Amino acid sequence: MSPQLLAGKRGVIFGALDNQSIAWQVAEVCAEMGATFTLTNAPVALRFGSLNELAEKLNAEVIPADATSLEDLQHLFTRSEEVLGGKIDFVLHAIGMSLNVRKGKEYTDLKHDWMLKTFDISAVSFHKMCQVLYNGNHMADWGSILGLTYIAAQRTFPDYSEMAESKALLESFARSFGYHFGEKNNVRVNTVSQSPTMTTAGKGVKGFDEFFGYADNMSPLGNAPARACGEYCATLFSDLTRYVTMQNLFHDGGFSNMGMNPKALK
């Protein structure tokens, strides 16, 4: 039985699509650890995913919201407070999409209107989310906000394309809002930089299977699976990490600190 680290905690989880999603795993772990929460994704994503199946399993309400819409976000958090019976203790932002990547556009020949859409969905949505939470006083004191990111924000992975800049922007937003939320009511804001993970979105990146194997060989502990990421996120939602804020936290089996692993040469 999982420890009840999150007993009595109320949350909102963005981005679960199917059982391969990291957000799906986070939701399952949080439920096992005693939390209650609402689930959300864009209306178009709800038509293609299986979020309602997760909601039924965990007894959670699904509230559709376009994370790029301030109006949708305001409704989401107001409704979540009503459903959950109080202010929000934790929020997970697990959102990312690039049309350029989906369409196979090379980094040196991107469509810039698509790039701006990537930034809006994958990064600016995090700022909008935090802004609505902040101005609407939706977060409980000592709450926790997390965004999922990737090491391409710091290092060059050519096939990750402009998603790398999106993640860098996301991490910057988290640091900046971490200051404002901390000063306001001790809410912490962090990002978790996860290993390559076999999600629906991840597998859409060119050469992902090969890179997954490379990262697994480079990492002393191997790639961190989605379930383990869910468990790590749960600790960051708990009261045990109250003084961790404005950090980009690597959850990658040691990959981020490796230079070379002989296994990767075999």
Side-chain angles (χ1 to χ4, degrees):
M1 183 176 179
S2 295
Q4 296 296 286
L5 277 180
L6 303 180
K9 299 288 188 187
R10 307 177 181 98
V12 178
I13 296 175
F14 285 76
L17 183 67
D18 54 38
N19 60 10
Q20 293 183 315
S21 305
I22 293 174
W24 185 293
Q25 300 296 322
V26 173
E28 290 196 328
V29 170
C30 288
E32 291 169 14
M33 292 190 176
T36 56
F37 46 82
T38 59
L39 298 164
T40 185
N41 211 324
V44 66
L46 295 179
R47 295 202 297 269
F48 297 105
S50 46
L51 187 59
N52 287 327
E53 175 188 321
L54 178 66
E56 183 175 349
K57 176 182 178 182
L58 303 182
N59 193 30
E61 182 165 325
V62 175
I63 305 173
D66 177 350
T68 68
S69 165
L70 292 173
E71 183 177 325
D72 278 16
L73 290 169
Q74 287 161 355
H75 173 261
L76 167 66
F77 294 125
T78 299
R79 176 60 184 160
S80 292
E81 284 194 65
E82 293 171 355
V83 169
L84 299 171
K87 291 193 174 186
I88 298 163
D89 296 295
F90 66 88
V91 180
L92 176 74
H93 179 284
I95 302 170
M97 193 282 291
S98 167
L99 278 174
N100 281 303
V101 171
R102 285 188 178 183
K103 301 292 186 180
K105 297 289 288 181
E106 295 294 331
Y107 187 79
T108 53
D109 188 33
L110 298 181
K111 290 189 66 171
H112 291 101
D113 55 339
W114 288 358
M115 177 188 282
L116 293 175
K117 190 67 174 175
T118 298
F119 293 165
D120 194 26
I121 293 171
S122 306
V124 178
S125 65
F126 186 84
H127 191 286
K128 290 178 178 178
M129 181 191 81
C130 287
Q131 181 170 302
V132 171
L133 287 166
Y134 186 91
N135 290 334
N137 293 313
H138 295 294
M139 292 297 298
D141 292 356
W142 295 101
S144 178
I145 298 170
L146 283 182
L148 293 185
T149 185
Y150 184 55
I151 196 175
Q154 290 82 35
R155 301 185 188 178
T156 301
F157 296 86
D159 292 330
Y160 203 62
S161 196
E162 88 269 33
M163 280 300 298
E165 286 81 7
S166 292
K167 294 303 187 183
L169 184 57
L170 173 79
E171 291 173 18
S172 183
F173 286 149
R175 287 189 295 271
S176 296
F177 250 117
Y179 162 77
H180 292 285
F181 265 116
E183 290 287 338
K184 182 176 184 177
N185 64 334
N186 300 312
V187 171
R188 61 234 195 241
V189 187
N190 296 290
T191 51
V192 172
S193 188
Q194 166 68 2
S195 296
T197 309
M198 287 290 184
T199 63
T200 301
K203 289 186 290 188
V205 177
K206 186 173 70 174
F208 180 81
D209 287 348
E210 293 78 4
F211 180 67
F212 182 91
Y214 169 76
D216 199 42
N217 283 329
M218 277 288 290
S219 308
L221 300 180
N223 290 333
R227 168 76 187 193
C229 186
E231 292 166 345
Y232 187 52
C233 290
T235 68
L236 293 167
F237 294 148
S238 80
D239 291 338
L240 299 180
T241 52
R242 279 188 164 195
Y243 290 92
V244 179
T245 195
M246 301 167 66
Q247 302 299 311
N248 181 48
L249 302 160
F250 289 98
H251 185 257
D252 63 1
F255 180 88
S256 51
N257 274 324
M258 287 299 295
M260 178 50 66
N261 189 324
K263 287 189 299 184
L265 300 176
K266 294 178 182 179

